[in-house]
Amino acid sequence: MEIRAAVTSSKGEDFHIETIQLDEPKRGEVLIRIVACGICHTDMVARDQEYPVPLPAVLGHEGAGVVEKVGEGVSYVQPGDHVVLGYAYCGKCRSCLSGHPFVCERFFELNFCGIMEDGTKRHHRLEQELSNFFGQSSFATYAIANERNVFKVDKDVDLALLGPLGCGIQTGAGAVLNRLKPEAGSSIAVFGAGAVGLSAIMAANAIGCGIIVAVDVHDHRLELAKELGATHVVNAIKVNPVEEIKNITGGGVNYAAETAGRPGILRQAVDSLTFFGKVVQIGAPPLGTDEKIDTNDLLLFNKTITGVVEGDSIQRIFIPQLINLYKQGRFPFDKLVKFYKFEDINQAVKDSHTGKTIKPIIKME
Ligand SMILES: [Zn+2]
Ligand SMILES: [Zn+2]
């Protein structure tokens, strides 16, 4: 069928909206009419070829839409269902079987190598094949995904809002709710107040953390952090964040999340912890970053450092949980969002880059 898609043809270039061909869904696959798709930093990582996604490609991995048609053998969804699309995973490897599909042994292949599970592609432009991204390619009017990475959502919430739950929002919220699991009343510091960090802050607030310290270098982001539940904010350009956090908490925080992905920040996060403190690395620093951690401090204070991707999230369980919190007003992630028309996708990318918009979402119509 003919679809309109924002195509990435060469490294670093702007998106071009084109009419291309999309195949029918194969066995186990679902055709989805995309209503909206969030823009995430990882789309830019692929566009700029920091990850070598074969080009040309249709990027976009925070899609939300309505099931149009199901392939043979699909039982989880039917036409008309509202769905969010998530990352692709195989469902068969040791990681998937043990409940950790976000570290699927085929994660890189299925999300970044341009192919679907059977090794083939679904998008065509004349005789040329285009790469798939994250098993969905949602910068388009229609997408095909395996039913495994499609998640049914309630019809009484605005579907256009929900796509980022499948990546950026769950990454921050899940790191707190699924991995750190802070006790009510405990203290947490979140380094970086972008979409992922602010999601971590909302999650910490939803679960009842007593002290929530947001650390960033932009005052406007810290203001928003306060609105979303931060009890204290620290501008790391103006003061030493480690000293400030120790002052606020009387010795250090119980938990910390590093979402900035900048060298040196993990060290600050670890240094901010008190006894038995736990820090989670969420942001991706440049490849080859060599973080200098004080190992005696780790030992004597019994600290833990852990990494987490995609928020340690089993999406069929976790996405409905986030939507429930949103409905209760305890996870107001809509405050991060600005909607753009499909034609304005390049402007949305620019606004995200400059920090003007925290979470841009492209509406397809
Ligand atoms: Zn797997
Ligand atoms: Zn993402």
Side-chain angles (χ1 to χ4, degrees):
M1 66 182 292
E2 275 194 349
I3 66 167
R4 288 197 310 136
V7 176
T8 300
S9 292
S10 62
K11 178 179 171 176
E13 73 161 35
D14 277 357
F15 294 103
H16 284 274
I17 298 180
E18 298 177 21
T19 299
I20 61 168
Q21 300 293 320
L22 181 65
D23 290 346
E24 290 288 299
K26 291 190 182 177
R27 185 176 174 80
E29 293 179 349
V30 180
L31 174 69
I32 298 123
R33 177 172 61 81
I34 298 295
V35 168
C37 183
I39 296 179
C40 173
H41 178 65
T42 310
D43 293 307
M44 303 308 113
V45 166
R47 181 197 64 178
D48 299 339
Q49 295 285 283
E50 288 165 41
Y51 282 179
V53 176
L55 300 178
V58 180
L59 303 177
H61 65 286
E62 291 187 349
V66 181
V67 174
E68 185 88 2
K69 194 174 183 181
V70 298
E72 202 187 322
V74 169
S75 58
Y76 171 63
V77 287
Q78 55 189 30
D81 283 345
H82 285 194
V83 294
V84 167
L85 290 82
Y87 58 81
Y89 58 100
C90 81
K92 301 180 185 85
C93 71
R94 183 181 289 261
S95 293
C96 285
L97 291 174
S98 60
H100 308 103
F102 44 89
V103 283
C104 172
E105 289 169 14
R106 293 181 68 192
F107 192 93
F108 196 82
E109 177 193 355
L110 295 178
N111 291 284
F112 295 106
C113 291
I115 51 165
M116 298 294 279
E117 195 182 0
D118 64 358
T120 63
K121 298 184 178 182
R122 300 285 176 278
H123 300 79
H124 312 271
R125 182 168 65 177
L126 298 174
E127 293 309 302
Q128 189 180 36
E129 289 190 315
L130 290 90
S131 283
N132 193 285
F133 191 54
F134 269 81
Q136 52 176 292
S137 292
S138 290
F139 288 156
T141 49
Y142 288 86
I144 282 181
N146 191 291
E147 71 169 325
R148 269 197 305 273
N149 57 312
V150 164
F151 310 102
K152 261 190 281 197
V153 293
D154 294 345
K155 288 186 176 173
D156 61 353
V157 282
D158 180 8
L159 184 56
L161 253 187
L162 303 182
L165 293 179
C167 186
I169 307 276
Q170 78 172 359
T171 292
V176 173
L177 297 175
N178 298 324
R179 184 65 65 87
L180 290 180
K181 298 188 170 122
E183 303 82 7
S186 62
S187 55
I188 185 168
V190 177
F191 290 78
V196 172
L198 291 167
S199 300
I201 286 166
M202 284 187 282
N205 185 41
I207 206 167
C209 284
I211 296 177
I212 303 170
V213 187
V215 183
D216 201 283
V217 294
H218 300 292
D219 284 331
H220 69 279
R221 289 185 179 210
L222 292 171
E223 279 307 308
L224 184 55
K226 262 196 231 168
E227 238 181 86
L228 297 174
T231 58
H232 299 76
V233 294
V234 173
N235 187 323
I237 284 180
K238 296 176 185 165
V239 292
N240 178 323
V242 176
E243 280 172 20
E244 197 64 19
I245 289 167
K246 287 189 170 169
N247 287 339
I248 292 165
T249 52
V253 276
N254 303 119
Y255 300 96
E258 200 297 275
T259 75
R262 299 239 166 84
I265 311 282
L266 177 64
R267 171 66 191 258
Q268 291 181 347
V270 174
D271 289 352
S272 303
L273 297 172
T274 183
F275 291 97
F276 288 102
K278 192 168 185 180
V279 59
V280 66
Q281 177 71 43
I282 313 174
L287 292 177
T289 298
D290 187 9
E291 202 79 34
K292 304 259 185 304
I293 300 294
D294 179 347
T295 40
N296 268 307
D297 167 63
L298 272 189
L299 170 70
L300 298 173
F301 278 73
N302 284 231
K303 296 179 179 180
T304 303
I305 304 173
T306 180
V308 59
V309 293
E310 297 289 358
D312 201 340
S313 162
I314 308 290
Q315 300 187 100
R316 278 192 200 180
I317 299 171
F318 192 54
I319 288 175
Q321 287 175 346
L322 290 179
I323 291 174
N324 286 341
L325 288 171
Y326 168 69
K327 285 183 185 173
Q328 289 181 327
R330 297 164 72 198
F331 190 74
F333 72 98
D334 55 319
K335 290 195 175 151
L336 311 184
V337 166
K338 184 176 172 192
F339 288 111
Y340 292 80
K341 289 184 194 158
F342 196 14
E343 302 80 71
D344 298 333
I345 183 168
N346 292 308
Q347 186 61 45
V349 169
K350 281 190 194 95
D351 289 354
S352 163
H353 193 69
T354 60
K356 190 177 163 197
T357 301
I358 304 242
K359 174 54 74 177
I361 295 181
I362 306 302
K363 276 187 165 178
M364 298 312 161
E365 8 191 278

